[in-house]
Amino acid sequence: MDVLVYVKRVPAVGGRIVLTPDGREVDTSMLGFTVSPHEECAVEEAVQITERHGGTVTVSTMGPPEAIEQLRTAISVGAHAAHLLVTTGVDAGPIATSRALASSVRELEGGRGRPFDLILCGNEAADTGDHQVGVRLAHALGRPCATGVKQLQIEATGESVEASREYRGSQEHFTLRLPAVVTVKEGINLPRYPSLPGRMRAKKADVSTATPTLEPEPLVMQRLRVPRTERTSAEVLGHGVDAVPALVALFETLGVVP
Amino acid sequence: MITVCFVELDGDEVVDASLRAVTFARRLGGGAPLGCLVLDRPGPGALAQLAAFGVADVRHLDAGDVHGYAPMAAAAALAEMVAPFDDGVDVVAVVAAATDHGNEVLAHLGATTGLELVANCVDAQVQAEVEPGGPGNGGGFAVVRQRWAGSLLEDAVLHARGGLFSVVAEAVTAEPSPVAAEVTVRPIAPALTPLDLAVQAVETRSEGGGVSLASARVVVSGGRGIGGAEGFGVVEELATLLGGAVGVSRAVTSAGWRPHREQVGQTGTRVAPHLYVACGISGAIQHLAGCQGATHMVAINTDPDAPIMARADYAIVGDVSVVLPALVDALRHRTAGS
């Protein structure tokens, strides 16, 4: 079972997002970077699949040269190979991204001489939340696709995958013939931490690179802004256990205690 | 202009998020006839709602080989409904609620038609002229959409005559049309490929139990400050006393203390309870994205400068391991004494 996983490098924002003065980007000068949570789980799922069924995990991303850091993290938790599509400047939109990824998949598969059995993506990126790159990629490759998946099971024959998720109180089960594209959500597994040998392997691993061609996107960002929130500071009810009577009184006012 | 909505039903009712999306679509269409696609033949209740919201043309998916939720078949039906677009219609908009189904169906439609999906919109307006710079010719849409699950807003221009828009529920209030529509209901049977039919869900009911996190009136959430899996006993007790559900932050599920289904936030469940009690949660934006819909928020934290303390309505500066047992004790005595 050969699995290709796409991840995206995003800033590790904390309690507050600060924008650059021109309002076009998140100010990352004080921030570290990570991958979107759903994709962290996609990498873990791919590694677990190859642990059970054999095969390889290839991890790939499109991003700035620094995104090699996120690929090395994926290698440190069990990915076997990594491929970086190096871009410069601002983020590519979802149509441009999915086209660039599809053309990269064709190249990688051409080199291997056979398709990846499974391509995993996150359901949506933490920053842009576009909800579509995996689906567009599947269409470009002519493969079936399930999104928002919380349970994944390769069938014994290795010819199909059962992908399940919850939606409004029901479980939805999709059976997809491989090769297929699946986008997953956090909660499908609990990602492992990198091991020391994993970190050593990641440090030395070769990461292949390519430069994608990006088409202009019809959706053009003008600026970002932080929405106004009504709440700016809380009323302090008290300190420690001394605050308990005030809290009980508040619960009574709000009608949440009998 | 053609404006079409993907509408989700729950039995004989239109789901609230879809009513909001229909409201959004009606405003975007500015008086253009409003059509919609539903996956099952709607009952009288749902039809009355759609009429009240101004939907004139109701199409229900009726393809012989479709037996469950089939996002590609739904997208094929929507593509057919907007197909006159190619014959000189000036503007096309397809709108859905930004739910898992709504986003998924629109993503498939975007892939087959080449139209852009603008996900998580809070506003969209047709613009006769947009500034040059995009690949579109002439008109387009001015949109406002969420990023980082609502922690940021993006102002953008869609340089195209057609667009797909998924709508964030809390951004729009569901409002019936000033003039109810005369509804016609017709089946739609789009031509489907084997691949369209291959992506179909078989549904099974989930096992219920306890108060559902998503719809709970009160949510008591614990974060890293709870200290460990064993610390959640008192969080559960408080939730029970308040008739609510237990929620947790991502730090808690990542540490394996509690299951992911209890996670509140961007990558967990979004909640909008009457009361949200955040215990030992610092308030990362990803967590706040999941609970900012709460009517009232109480935060208990040792750090008075934690981001959650600024976003809550009421704050208690203190250690949850001391405050929570005392609070549970006080509530129990109150119940026993009343």
Side-chain angles (χ1 to χ4, degrees), chain B residues 79-241:
Chain B
E80 202 174 295
M81 290 172 73
V82 299
F85 183 41
D86 298 330
D87 307 332
V89 172
D90 56 345
V91 181
V92 163
V94 183
V95 177
T99 58
D100 286 352
H101 280 187
N103 279 323
E104 181 174 52
V105 167
L106 291 190
H108 281 290
L109 182 61
T112 55
T113 58
L115 294 175
E116 180 99 38
L117 161 56
V118 189
N120 304 317
C121 290
V122 301
D123 191 28
Q125 279 168 27
V126 177
Q127 284 198 333
E129 300 259 330
V130 292
E131 316 136 61
N137 46 356
F141 299 85
V143 297
V144 183
R145 63 179 292 247
Q146 290 187 344
R147 285 206 187 191
W148 288 99
S151 300
L152 282 183
L153 292 175
E154 171 187 353
D155 296 314
V157 172
L158 178 59
H159 294 267
R161 293 186 302 129
L164 317 178
F165 307 89
S166 75
V167 181
V168 172
E170 63 264 25
V172 186
T173 310
E175 273 174 26
S177 170
V179 188
E182 193 93 18
V183 186
T184 59
V185 187
R186 292 179 290 160
I188 183 165
L192 298 174
T193 66
L195 184 58
D196 292 335
L197 291 166
V199 183
Q200 265 196 74
V202 175
E203 271 183 47
T204 52
R205 293 306 291 180
S206 294
E207 65 278 19
V211 179
S212 144
L213 177 59
S215 59
R217 188 162 176 267
V218 176
V219 175
V220 182
S221 276
R224 203 195 299 273
I226 297 296
E230 64 289 342
F232 276 87
V234 68
V235 177
E236 282 178 353
E237 270 183 86
L238 179 58
T240 306
L241 284 164

Side-chain angles (χ1 to χ4, degrees), chain B residues 1 3-5 20-32 34 93-95 167:
Chain B
M1 177 165 182
T3 316
V4 173
C5 258
R20 292 167 189 254
V22 169
T23 309
F24 180 99
R26 199 178 63 230
R27 289 184 188 144
L28 174 61
L34 193 54
V94 183
V95 177
V167 181

Side-chain angles (χ1 to χ4, degrees), chain A residues 189-257:
Chain A
N189 55 43
L190 193 55
R192 71 194 70 186
Y193 290 101
S195 62
L196 192 58
R199 283 180 206 273
M200 299 305 288
R201 195 170 59 243
K203 226 178 192 171
K204 285 182 280 182
D206 281 331
V207 174
S208 58
T209 60
T211 309
T213 310
L214 292 174
E215 298 161 39
E217 189 86 14
L219 185 68
V220 180
M221 191 258 285
Q222 308 286 296
R223 66 175 188 136
L224 301 173
R225 55 195 160 95
V226 179
R228 266 174 219 280
T229 51
E230 288 146 31
R231 304 178 173 110
T232 48
S233 71
E235 177 187 334
V236 177
L237 292 180
H239 288 68
V241 293
D242 295 344
V244 166
L247 198 46
V248 172
L250 175 68
F251 289 167
E252 284 171 353
T253 311
L254 296 178
V256 294
V257 284

Side-chain angles (χ1 to χ4, degrees), chain A residues 73 172 197:
Chain A
T73 303
E172 295 180 334

Side-chain angles (χ1 to χ4, degrees), chain B residues 62-83:
Chain B
D62 185 20
D65 294 320
V66 175
H67 305 292
Y69 166 72
M72 291 177 75
L78 287 168
E80 202 174 295
M81 290 172 73
V82 299

